[in-house]
């Protein structure tokens, strides 16, 4: 990925991710369908507590820190969303018994619900991050391993040569495969960047690193201008 003097993006998509249930682990994909509201199937569901707050890694007006969510993984299987528990058993979203089992896992009454009046996305429909940003953050933390993009919950990972190159895309439209996006802003990070998750060890100093290196910002958000499909290897170009 390179950035020309006018900061126009160019490069290729090297990873795609979808997270069917907010804050649970998700799945890598070779291609994603993108509708007007965002990646199809991404964060369609969330775990709700008794007060209607969403299970997350942080406390806000909409979200509540509920760390048991990080021990679960969700995937789409046909028309269903399937949640895998730590013991390997599986639950189907919307099944009558699912909420009871999840409540036992969380140690309090919860329900698995579709997005309704409370938006599940943090700030925008699609999230992107550059490979150089991931490498730079990893270089400053722990043993220097590249930060896994799953810690950032990014839908699209784009090959870049310079850390934070994606910041320059804010305010511009980009085409990725058959999708046109408008990059709306940088992404402010929370403790999620360092939390242990299924298949991911904790990165205990990562939030401090993001704060010190780039003011808590890593990656960017985008809105969908023209729906379509994006696949691994698709070029990113200015619209």
């Amino acid at each position: 990925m390179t950035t020309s003097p006018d900061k126009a993006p160019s490069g290729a998509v090297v990873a795609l991710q979808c997270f069917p249930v907010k804050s649970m682990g998700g799945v890598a994909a070779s291609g994603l369908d993108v509708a007007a509201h965002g990646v199809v199937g991404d964060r369609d569901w969330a775990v709700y507590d008794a007060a209607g707050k969403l299970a997350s890694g942080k406390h806000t007006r909409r979200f509540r820190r509920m760390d048991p969510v990080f021990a679960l993984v969700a995937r789409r299987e046909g028309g269903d969303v399937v949640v895998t528990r730590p013991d390997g058993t599986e639950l189907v979203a919307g099944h009558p018994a699912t909420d009871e089992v999840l409540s036992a896992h969380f140690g309090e009454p919860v329900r698995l619900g579709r997005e309704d009046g409370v938006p599940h996305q943090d700030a925008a429909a699609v999230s992107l991050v550059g490979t150089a940003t991931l490498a730079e953050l990893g270089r400053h933390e722990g043993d220097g391993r590249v930060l896994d993009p799953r810690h950032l919950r990014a839908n699209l990972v784009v090959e870049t040569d310079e850390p934070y190159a994606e910041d320059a895309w804010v305010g511009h439209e980009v085409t990725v495969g058959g999708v046109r996006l408008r990059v709306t802003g940088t992404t402010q990070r929370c403790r999620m960047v360092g939390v242990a998750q299924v298949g991911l060890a904790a990165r205990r100093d990562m939030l401090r690193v993001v704060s010190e290196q780039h003011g808590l910002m890593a990656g960017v958000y985008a809105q969908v201008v023209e729906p379509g499909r994006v696949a691994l290897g698709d070029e990113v170009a200015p619209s």
Side-chain angles (χ1 to χ4, degrees), residues 81-225:
V81 168
V82 179
V83 175
T84 303
R85 299 172 62 203
D87 63 3
T89 59
E90 296 182 339
L91 307 169
V92 177
H95 190 279
T98 294
D99 289 350
E100 181 179 353
V101 177
L102 283 179
S103 294
H105 173 78
F106 279 82
E108 63 179 282
V110 300
R111 66 177 180 88
L112 190 57
R114 288 186 179 274
E115 185 174 78
D116 190 6
V118 180
H120 290 176
Q121 299 284 359
D122 284 3
V126 179
S127 55
L128 304 86
V129 69
T131 55
T133 298
L134 298 171
E136 179 73 358
L137 292 174
R139 186 171 72 85
H140 288 281
E141 190 267 350
D143 60 9
R145 292 175 293 117
V146 172
L147 181 63
D148 192 299
R150 290 176 293 174
H151 276 298
L152 300 185
R153 302 293 168 122
N155 297 123
L156 281 69
V157 182
V158 179
E159 187 175 17
T160 53
D161 294 333
E162 300 179 5
Y164 314 113
E166 58 270 32
D167 290 10
W169 310 346
V170 174
H172 300 279
E173 291 187 4
V174 299
T175 298
V176 190
V179 179
R180 185 151 53 100
L181 303 171
R182 181 172 181 81
V183 182
T184 55
T186 52
T187 306
Q188 183 172 325
R189 297 299 171 179
C190 66
R191 63 182 285 271
M192 287 278 286
V193 298
V195 170
Q197 304 170 43
V198 177
L200 291 176
R203 301 293 294 260
R204 302 190 186 283
D205 291 328
M206 187 53 70
L207 185 60
R208 174 187 58 79
V209 168
V210 179
S211 177
E212 292 177 354
Q213 296 300 315
H214 207 57
L216 280 179
M217 300 296 179
V220 294
Y221 283 125
Q223 295 176 337
V224 180
V225 177

Side-chain angles (χ1 to χ4, degrees), residues 38-60:
V39 173
V40 174
D42 188 59
R43 299 169 175 89
D44 280 352
W45 295 78
V47 176
Y48 288 75
D49 71 4
K53 288 201 169 189
L54 312 184
S56 178
K58 60 187 177 183
H59 291 293
T60 70

Side-chain angles (χ1 to χ4, degrees), residues 2-45:
T2 57
T3 304
S4 64
D6 64 355
K7 300 181 179 180
S10 63
V13 175
V14 297
L16 295 167
Q17 302 179 107
C18 180
F19 302 92
V21 181
K22 183 175 178 60
S23 298
M24 290 186 191
V27 292
S30 59
L32 295 173
D33 292 313
V34 181
H37 69 274
V39 173
V40 174
D42 188 59
R43 299 169 175 89
D44 280 352
W45 295 78

Side-chain angles (χ1 to χ4, degrees), residues 220-236:
V220 294
Y221 283 125
Q223 295 176 337
V224 180
V225 177
E226 184 175 326
R229 184 168 176 83
V230 59
L232 293 177
D234 280 347
E235 291 293 319
V236 180

